[in-house]
Amino acid sequence: MYKFNDYKVLITGSARGIGFAIARSFASSGATVLIMDISAEAVEAAVAKLSSEGFQAFGYTGNVTDSAAMEELFATIAKEHGKLDCLINNAGVTRDNLMLRMKEEDWQLVLDINLKGTFICTQKAFKLMMKQRKGSIINIASVIGIMGNAGQANYAASKGGMIAFTKSCAKEFASRNVRVNAIAPGFIETEMTATLPPEVRAEYAKVIPLSQMGSPEDVAKLCIFLASEDSSYITGQTIAVDGGLTMH
Ligand SMILES: NC(=O)c1ccc[n+]([C@@H]2O[C@H](COP(=O)([O-])OP(=O)(O)OC[C@H]3O[C@@H](n4cnc5c(N)ncnc54)[C@H](O)[C@@H]3O)[C@@H](O)[C@H]2O)c1
């Protein structure tokens, strides 16, 4: 339905899970996808998978918390691809624990990867996009950043931070025609949620109006819309893909 010809999209943390599904959706719509993740092997495998399906995919290994490495990555992208149309800040981790047991290093790690990583990549992408006078930045937050969750204070703070960050950047970047939106996925079937015990899944299903977990493709479909011209008057929004779990 959407055609992304001559369109370059960088997706952080895209060697697997939601990020990979986003990459595949863009690639199948004609975009050139730039896969970035922390493990070189996983990046290579993801690029090989997309290339074997006939898609345009390039791989980059890096850690979103490493500002100098990201500076180099964005310079390489500018050199090799000439532009960047869309950045998707998707890399993210959890280190769950109840507050009284939460270690400071687990607080810091989650804030560093999910929130600081988003700041670092957004700043570098905006430098390219402001010169182009066009761009779309999509931050993959979470419903947990809206409603909180016992045992996830660090994750909730990072994702709530991403939502507030999205609004500030949307206001700051609007005059340069760069839009910034966030997606708040609910419970999506990936490696991140695969470890949930069956009884916890059953409990979640009970409180989700659409009665089931979502798929990575459900999130990818919204990314495609938010990157497309069909959403050209939408910025600063956080849209939930959660089967109706959060409504406001
Ligand atoms: N799965 C869900 O139910 C769900 C719900 C809401 C939000 N999310 C968010 O969606 C995003 C993707 O989640 P997922 O379920 O696909 O997780 P995942 O663990 O399957 O994938 C995350 C990817 O990010 C990469 N990554 C981690 N740290 C990185 C770093 N420092 N630099 C670069 N890459 C790094 C990992 O290697 C991995 O490939 C995350 O931001 C997550 O918080 C997921």
XYZ file of all heavy atoms in Angstrom, residues 36-96:
445
model
N 20.671 -1.671 12.759
C 21.727 -1.386 13.740
C 21.423 -2.134 15.033
O 20.298 -2.129 15.503
C 21.787 0.122 13.989
C 23.063 0.576 14.628
S 23.024 0.363 16.390
C 22.575 1.990 16.859
N 22.452 -2.808 15.548
C 22.267 -3.534 16.805
C 23.641 -3.743 17.449
O 24.686 -3.495 16.835
C 21.565 -4.885 16.554
C 20.705 -5.310 17.733
O 21.267 -5.548 18.826
O 19.466 -5.405 17.585
N 23.598 -4.221 18.679
C 24.837 -4.300 19.468
C 25.698 -5.514 19.113
O 26.912 -5.489 19.294
C 24.487 -4.254 20.974
C 25.651 -3.786 21.808
C 23.893 -5.554 21.469
C 25.244 -3.218 23.159
N 25.069 -6.570 18.576
C 25.834 -7.774 18.252
C 26.085 -7.871 16.745
O 25.144 -7.926 15.946
C 25.068 -9.010 18.757
O 25.239 -10.088 17.868
N 27.383 -7.916 16.387
C 27.766 -7.958 14.967
C 27.178 -9.187 14.285
O 26.682 -9.113 13.157
C 29.281 -7.956 14.843
N 27.217 -10.311 14.992
C 26.695 -11.566 14.415
C 25.201 -11.468 14.119
O 24.727 -11.883 13.057
C 26.870 -12.700 15.437
C 27.966 -13.661 15.096
C 28.177 -14.642 16.230
O 27.195 -15.218 16.735
O 29.345 -14.800 16.621
N 24.473 -10.898 15.089
C 23.021 -10.781 14.925
C 22.693 -9.817 13.786
O 21.755 -10.049 13.022
C 22.382 -10.313 16.231
N 23.475 -8.748 13.664
C 23.256 -7.773 12.574
C 23.468 -8.470 11.229
O 22.645 -8.359 10.309
C 24.209 -6.556 12.706
C 24.214 -5.716 11.442
C 23.818 -5.709 13.914
N 24.567 -9.239 11.154
C 24.901 -9.930 9.906
C 23.774 -10.893 9.511
O 23.346 -10.935 8.354
C 26.199 -10.712 10.129
C 27.013 -10.912 8.885
C 28.329 -11.604 9.220
O 29.103 -11.049 10.044
O 28.542 -12.699 8.696
N 23.265 -11.628 10.508
C 22.197 -12.607 10.236
C 20.921 -11.899 9.775
O 20.246 -12.362 8.846
C 21.921 -13.438 11.491
N 20.606 -10.770 10.413
C 19.380 -10.039 10.049
C 19.485 -9.493 8.626
O 18.535 -9.596 7.834
C 19.135 -8.903 11.041
N 20.653 -8.932 8.299
C 20.856 -8.378 6.947
C 20.794 -9.508 5.915
O 20.159 -9.368 4.859
C 22.191 -7.608 6.858
C 22.524 -7.249 5.417
C 22.138 -6.351 7.716
N 21.412 -10.652 6.254
C 21.408 -11.794 5.324
C 19.980 -12.259 5.073
O 19.607 -12.559 3.930
C 22.250 -12.926 5.903
N 19.165 -12.279 6.148
C 17.770 -12.720 6.009
C 17.006 -11.794 5.045
O 16.342 -12.248 4.132
C 17.105 -12.686 7.394
C 16.140 -13.859 7.620
C 15.474 -13.798 8.977
C 16.379 -14.198 10.129
N 15.695 -14.072 11.442
N 17.145 -10.482 5.260
C 16.413 -9.528 4.413
C 16.939 -9.541 2.976
O 16.159 -9.485 2.026
C 16.492 -8.118 4.999
C 15.738 -7.911 6.321
C 15.914 -6.487 6.836
C 14.249 -8.218 6.156
N 18.271 -9.659 2.841
C 18.853 -9.683 1.488
C 18.377 -10.916 0.735
O 18.074 -10.843 -0.466
C 20.385 -9.692 1.558
O 20.815 -8.561 2.263
N 18.286 -12.060 1.453
C 17.854 -13.301 0.779
C 16.396 -13.186 0.323
O 15.952 -13.926 -0.551
C 18.023 -14.509 1.697
O 17.039 -14.461 2.714
N 15.651 -12.254 0.914
C 14.266 -12.044 0.481
C 14.191 -10.990 -0.631
O 13.104 -10.564 -1.032
C 13.408 -11.602 1.683
C 13.255 -12.713 2.728
C 12.608 -12.257 4.041
O 12.012 -11.167 4.084
O 12.727 -13.000 5.020
N 15.374 -10.527 -1.064
C 15.429 -9.584 -2.189
C 15.331 -8.125 -1.773
O 15.077 -7.258 -2.604
N 15.525 -7.835 -0.476
C 15.376 -6.464 0.005
C 16.725 -5.756 0.105
O 17.777 -6.380 0.194
C 14.702 -6.457 1.383
C 13.306 -7.037 1.383
C 12.880 -7.881 2.395
C 12.420 -6.726 0.356
C 11.588 -8.413 2.390
C 11.131 -7.244 0.339
C 10.720 -8.095 1.357
N 16.657 -4.405 0.166
C 17.842 -3.557 0.318
C 18.115 -3.362 1.809
O 17.385 -2.594 2.461
C 17.563 -2.180 -0.287
C 17.696 -2.088 -1.783
C 19.145 -1.926 -2.206
O 20.017 -1.708 -1.363
N 19.422 -2.066 -3.477
N 19.132 -4.021 2.345
C 19.417 -3.870 3.777
C 20.921 -3.739 4.007
O 21.715 -4.423 3.366
C 18.876 -5.066 4.542
N 21.288 -2.839 4.920
C 22.685 -2.636 5.283
C 22.802 -2.773 6.796
O 21.885 -2.361 7.516
C 23.164 -1.244 4.849
C 23.165 -1.056 3.356
C 21.997 -0.695 2.690
C 24.319 -1.271 2.618
C 21.987 -0.536 1.310
C 24.317 -1.112 1.229
C 23.150 -0.749 0.573
N 23.929 -3.316 7.258
C 24.067 -3.565 8.697
C 25.143 -2.715 9.350
O 26.187 -2.449 8.751
N 24.858 -2.288 10.563
C 25.824 -1.510 11.360
C 25.788 -2.039 12.782
O 24.715 -2.241 13.348
C 25.458 -0.016 11.347
C 25.439 0.553 9.956
C 24.261 0.574 9.218
C 26.611 1.022 9.355
C 24.237 1.052 7.917
C 26.593 1.500 8.058
C 25.414 1.517 7.341
O 25.395 1.982 6.051
N 26.979 -2.234 13.353
C 27.049 -2.698 14.730
C 27.354 -1.500 15.609
O 28.207 -0.674 15.267
C 28.183 -3.740 14.878
O 27.944 -4.776 13.932
C 28.202 -4.340 16.275
N 26.672 -1.391 16.725
C 26.964 -0.268 17.617
C 26.096 -0.302 18.858
O 25.112 -1.039 18.937
N 26.514 0.501 19.820
C 25.799 0.619 21.091
C 25.208 2.031 21.159
O 25.952 3.015 21.086
C 26.806 0.401 22.229
C 26.152 0.419 23.588
O 25.058 0.955 23.772
N 26.826 -0.182 24.556
N 23.895 2.130 21.315
C 23.258 3.456 21.277
C 23.712 4.384 22.413
O 23.508 5.595 22.334
C 21.704 3.366 21.296
C 21.178 2.761 20.011
C 21.196 2.597 22.519
N 24.336 3.829 23.443
C 24.779 4.677 24.561
C 26.164 5.285 24.312
O 26.627 6.109 25.093
C 24.828 3.893 25.896
O 25.840 2.890 25.792
C 23.490 3.253 26.215
N 26.813 4.847 23.230
C 28.173 5.303 22.947
C 28.114 6.482 21.962
O 28.031 6.298 20.736
C 28.961 4.114 22.353
C 30.417 4.444 22.091
O 30.768 5.648 22.021
O 31.209 3.500 21.941
N 28.164 7.682 22.519
C 27.966 8.886 21.726
C 28.976 9.017 20.575
O 28.599 9.358 19.442
C 28.056 10.109 22.645
O 27.710 11.238 21.934
N 30.260 8.717 20.879
C 31.297 8.858 19.835
C 31.050 7.864 18.699
O 31.168 8.209 17.513
C 32.676 8.643 20.450
N 30.677 6.636 19.074
C 30.419 5.615 18.050
C 29.196 6.002 17.216
O 29.163 5.779 15.997
C 30.201 4.253 18.708
N 28.196 6.593 17.862
C 26.990 7.000 17.120
C 27.306 8.169 16.178
O 26.798 8.244 15.075
C 25.849 7.363 18.083
C 25.246 6.185 18.828
S 24.618 4.871 17.740
C 25.894 3.648 17.865
N 28.182 9.079 16.643
C 28.616 10.196 15.786
C 29.205 9.639 14.491
O 28.873 10.081 13.386
C 29.665 11.022 16.553
C 30.196 12.231 15.827
C 29.217 13.405 15.878
O 28.573 13.599 16.919
O 29.109 14.109 14.857
N 30.064 8.627 14.671
C 30.715 7.992 13.522
C 29.685 7.283 12.637
O 29.736 7.371 11.412
C 31.720 6.963 14.057
C 32.975 6.858 13.237
C 33.985 5.997 13.970
O 34.523 6.453 15.015
O 34.202 4.874 13.515
N 28.737 6.602 13.295
C 27.716 5.864 12.544
C 26.893 6.801 11.655
O 26.678 6.526 10.463
C 26.774 5.126 13.508
C 25.523 4.529 12.859
C 25.855 3.267 12.078
C 24.457 4.200 13.898
N 26.459 7.926 12.228
C 25.627 8.852 11.435
C 26.440 9.504 10.323
O 25.911 9.771 9.231
C 24.925 9.877 12.334
C 23.711 9.301 13.026
C 23.834 8.564 14.196
C 22.452 9.446 12.482
C 22.722 7.995 14.825
C 21.326 8.889 13.098
C 21.471 8.160 14.275
N 27.741 9.733 10.575
C 28.607 10.283 9.520
C 28.743 9.262 8.400
O 28.698 9.603 7.205
C 29.973 10.631 10.105
N 28.885 7.989 8.760
C 28.997 6.916 7.761
C 27.717 6.828 6.936
O 27.746 6.688 5.713
C 29.264 5.558 8.459
O 30.415 5.703 9.273
C 29.470 4.430 7.464
N 26.578 6.923 7.630
C 25.290 6.847 6.924
C 25.173 8.000 5.921
O 24.771 7.805 4.768
C 24.113 6.864 7.928
C 24.067 5.529 8.675
C 22.784 7.153 7.241
C 23.095 5.483 9.829
N 25.559 9.208 6.379
C 25.477 10.377 5.482
C 26.359 10.149 4.252
O 25.970 10.472 3.121
C 25.895 11.634 6.234
N 27.549 9.557 4.497
C 28.494 9.343 3.394
C 27.997 8.241 2.447
O 28.002 8.397 1.235
C 29.861 8.975 3.980
C 31.004 9.198 3.018
C 32.321 9.414 3.694
C 32.913 8.055 4.011
N 34.069 8.079 4.859
N 27.557 7.135 3.043
C 27.196 5.974 2.214
C 25.811 6.079 1.577
O 25.564 5.481 0.533
C 27.261 4.692 3.050
C 28.695 4.326 3.413
C 28.799 3.076 4.275
O 27.771 2.489 4.659
O 29.946 2.706 4.579
N 24.895 6.791 2.243
C 23.507 6.800 1.751
C 23.008 8.191 1.367
O 21.909 8.336 0.844
C 22.575 6.159 2.779
C 22.973 4.751 3.101
N 22.720 3.698 2.243
C 23.665 4.223 4.144
C 23.218 2.585 2.765
N 23.795 2.881 3.906
N 23.805 9.220 1.693
C 23.475 10.581 1.241
C 22.409 11.295 2.045
O 22.314 12.519 2.002
N 21.596 10.550 2.795
C 20.527 11.178 3.578
C 19.951 10.165 4.560
O 20.262 8.960 4.505
C 19.427 11.675 2.654
C 18.741 10.574 1.864
C 17.497 11.089 1.168
C 16.745 9.971 0.483
N 15.380 10.289 0.165
N 19.117 10.673 5.457
C 18.386 9.781 6.372
C 16.960 10.325 6.465
O 16.741 11.445 6.926
C 19.046 9.769 7.760
C 18.383 8.835 8.769
C 18.526 7.367 8.352
C 18.994 9.022 10.160
N 15.997 9.539 6.012
C 14.603 10.001 6.015
C 13.907 9.726 7.342
O 13.008 10.465 7.733
C 13.824 9.311 4.883
C 14.388 9.667 3.516
O 14.218 10.827 3.108
O 15.026 8.806 2.874
N 14.304 8.640 7.981
C 13.563 8.236 9.184
C 14.483 7.523 10.170
O 15.318 6.710 9.769
C 12.425 7.300 8.755
S 11.369 6.731 10.090
N 14.340 7.890 11.441
C 15.061 7.186 12.520
C 14.011 6.551 13.425
O 13.054 7.221 13.837
C 15.897 8.175 13.348
C 16.368 7.626 14.716
C 17.429 6.535 14.552
C 16.913 8.759 15.597
N 14.217 5.291 13.742
C 13.327 4.642 14.711
C 14.152 4.220 15.923
O 15.037 3.359 15.833
C 12.593 3.455 14.066
C 11.825 4.007 12.847
C 11.655 2.786 15.085
C 10.864 3.122 12.183
N 13.904 4.897 17.045
C 14.604 4.578 18.292
C 13.881 3.410 18.951
O 12.887 3.586 19.651
C 14.599 5.799 19.221
C 15.567 6.868 18.768
O 16.758 6.600 18.564
N 15.086 8.089 18.583
N 14.415 2.211 18.669
C 13.739 0.986 19.118
C 14.559 0.191 20.138
O 13.987 -0.577 20.910
C 13.429 0.122 17.874
C 13.042 -1.295 18.234
O 11.907 -1.552 18.624
N 13.985 -2.233 18.149
N 15.905 0.387 20.152
C 16.747 -0.410 21.072
C 16.254 -0.195 22.499
O 16.039 0.941 22.928
C 18.203 0.014 20.942
N 16.070 -1.277 23.212
C 15.580 -1.129 24.583
C 15.774 -2.419 25.366
O 15.873 -3.502 24.781
N 15.867 -2.277 26.670
C 16.062 -3.446 27.547
C 15.192 -3.309 28.801
O 14.717 -2.214 29.116
C 17.542 -3.589 27.999
C 18.459 -3.913 26.832
C 18.025 -2.345 28.734
N 15.023 -4.430 29.487
C 14.384 -4.414 30.812
C 15.359 -5.012 31.830
O 16.176 -5.877 31.473
C 13.097 -5.275 30.843
O 13.410 -6.572 30.321
C 11.977 -4.673 30.020
N 15.288 -4.554 33.048
C 15.997 -5.188 34.183
C 15.037 -5.053 35.361
O 15.160 -4.149 36.181
C 17.325 -4.465 34.511
C 18.462 -4.680 33.555
C 18.989 -6.128 33.526
N 20.106 -6.254 32.595
C 19.989 -6.376 31.263
N 18.799 -6.414 30.693
N 21.062 -6.489 30.510
N 14.034 -5.939 35.374
C 12.928 -5.780 36.324
C 13.292 -6.203 37.743
O 14.007 -7.191 37.947
C 11.729 -6.628 35.876
C 11.219 -6.239 34.490
O 11.636 -5.193 33.977
O 10.391 -6.990 33.945
